[in-house]
Amino acid sequence: EADIYQTPRYLVIGTGKKITLECSQTMGHDKMYWYQQDPGMELHLIHYSYGVNSTEKGDLSSESTVSRIRTEHFPLTLESARPSHTSQYLCASSPSGLAGAINEQFFGPGTRLTVL
Amino acid sequence: GNSVTQMEGPVTLSEEAFLTINCTYTATGYPSLFWYVQYPGEGLQLLLKATKADDKGSNKGFEATYRKETTSFHLEKGSVQVSDSAVYFCALSESNTGKLIFGQGTTLQVKP
């Protein structure tokens, strides 16, 4: 069973607030990812990391930023939230090396963000 | 570039009906292929996977076969249940980056 956690599960905040969405995994995976999911369900990769101190922007441009100071932790930050940031955010991780050859990703439960 | 195309939903079936959700892909190299399922209010769960041509992935009565000649990975189940109602995503992994490329998702509704 995958052990990847996201907090909070639901967040409702006002415009202009700074927020951090937490993602942690206990599987020792090197690779971690953040996806934004539309109400219409499509998933968009917004950030990824291949290890500590490695972060890259994904295929969809995002005003959020990420950091990877520890292997198990990959938080996402919005400096000034806007209604256009309202979405579901999913975190995932996958192993490297031989186990990573298949590139299977394990997903957290998601954070549903609403910006008023 | 790499891409995944799924049949559009929603797919509405009666309980015990046969299910097929079509998935085709475009990719360079030899990607692994996946089906993920998302139940309401939850994240994605891996349903099944196949790592090379002619592999058949199976789980919980669902099956999909990696067909390189038709670049397809169609999901099938012989008899669906109400509890199978969810959104299903087909995905491939990029051989060089390890990133997953997802289809747009297909909603399945199973009625009693």
Side-chain angles (χ1 to χ4, degrees), chain A residues 97-115:
Chain A
L98 288 176
I102 298 173
N103 294 317
E104 174 183 343
Q105 291 184 17
F106 298 84
F107 282 80
T111 294
R112 182 162 296 281
L113 172 66
T114 303
V115 183

Side-chain angles (χ1 to χ4, degrees), chain A residues 9 37 50 102 104-105 107, chain B residues 34 36 38 41 46 49 97:
Chain A
R9 290 293 312 276
Q37 185 171 29
Y50 287 160
I102 298 173
E104 174 183 343
Q105 291 184 17
F107 282 80
Chain B
F34 306 89
Y36 281 86
Q38 185 176 32
L46 179 68
K49 63 189 176 191
T97 67

Side-chain angles (χ1 to χ4, degrees), chain A residues 37 41 43 88 90 105-109, chain B residues 6 19 21 34-49 59-60 62 75 77 81-91 100 102 105-110:
Chain A
Q37 185 171 29
M41 302 178 303
L43 288 148
Q88 165 122 302
L90 295 172
Q105 291 184 17
F106 298 84
F107 282 80
Chain B
Q6 290 179 234
L19 168 71
I21 301 178
F34 306 89
W35 276 100
Y36 281 86
V37 59
Q38 185 176 32
Y39 298 102
E42 297 184 11
L44 273 67
Q45 301 175 25
L46 179 68
L47 181 59
L48 52 84
K49 63 189 176 191
N59 185 26
K60 300 181 181 178
F62 291 90
L75 182 68
K77 186 174 185 182
Q81 306 299 312
V82 172
S83 57
D84 293 328
S85 298
V87 181
Y88 293 81
F89 291 91
C90 184
L100 286 183
F102 286 93
T106 302
T107 299
L108 171 64
Q109 298 173 339
V110 181

Side-chain angles (χ1 to χ4, degrees), chain A residues 15-85:
Chain A
T15 297
K17 299 292 186 183
K18 177 180 178 179
I19 60 165
T20 297
L21 308 184
E22 301 289 348
C23 176
S24 295
Q25 50 95 5
T26 59
M27 297 172 283
H29 289 171
D30 288 325
K31 300 177 186 176
M32 296 189 74
Y33 310 83
W34 276 104
Y35 294 87
Q36 185 173 337
Q37 185 171 29
D38 298 339
M41 302 178 303
E42 196 162 351
L43 288 148
H44 302 284
L45 180 67
I46 52 175
H47 298 283
Y48 60 100
S49 166
Y50 287 160
V52 171
N53 295 325
S54 151
T55 60
E56 302 286 345
K57 289 192 178 295
D59 304 319
L60 179 70
S61 175
S62 173
E63 295 168 347
S64 58
T65 58
V66 292
S67 62
R68 189 88 184 277
I69 298 172
R70 303 198 315 267
T71 297
E72 62 271 21
H73 196 212
F74 191 41
L76 180 145
T77 298
L78 277 166
E79 290 292 333
S80 179
R82 295 205 301 272
S84 60
H85 296 137

Side-chain angles (χ1 to χ4, degrees), chain B residues 17-72:
Chain B
F18 185 86
L19 168 71
T20 299
I21 301 178
N22 289 338
C23 172
T24 57
Y25 68 90
T26 302
T28 54
Y30 302 95
S32 296
L33 300 175
F34 306 89
W35 276 100
Y36 281 86
V37 59
Q38 185 176 32
Y39 298 102
E42 297 184 11
L44 273 67
Q45 301 175 25
L46 179 68
L47 181 59
L48 52 84
K49 63 189 176 191
T51 59
K52 61 183 186 298
D54 300 325
D55 266 2
K56 178 186 282 187
S58 61
N59 185 26
K60 300 181 181 178
F62 291 90
E63 292 183 341
T65 300
Y66 190 144
R67 301 285 188 201
K68 194 165 177 61
E69 64 275 14
T70 54
T71 61
S72 64

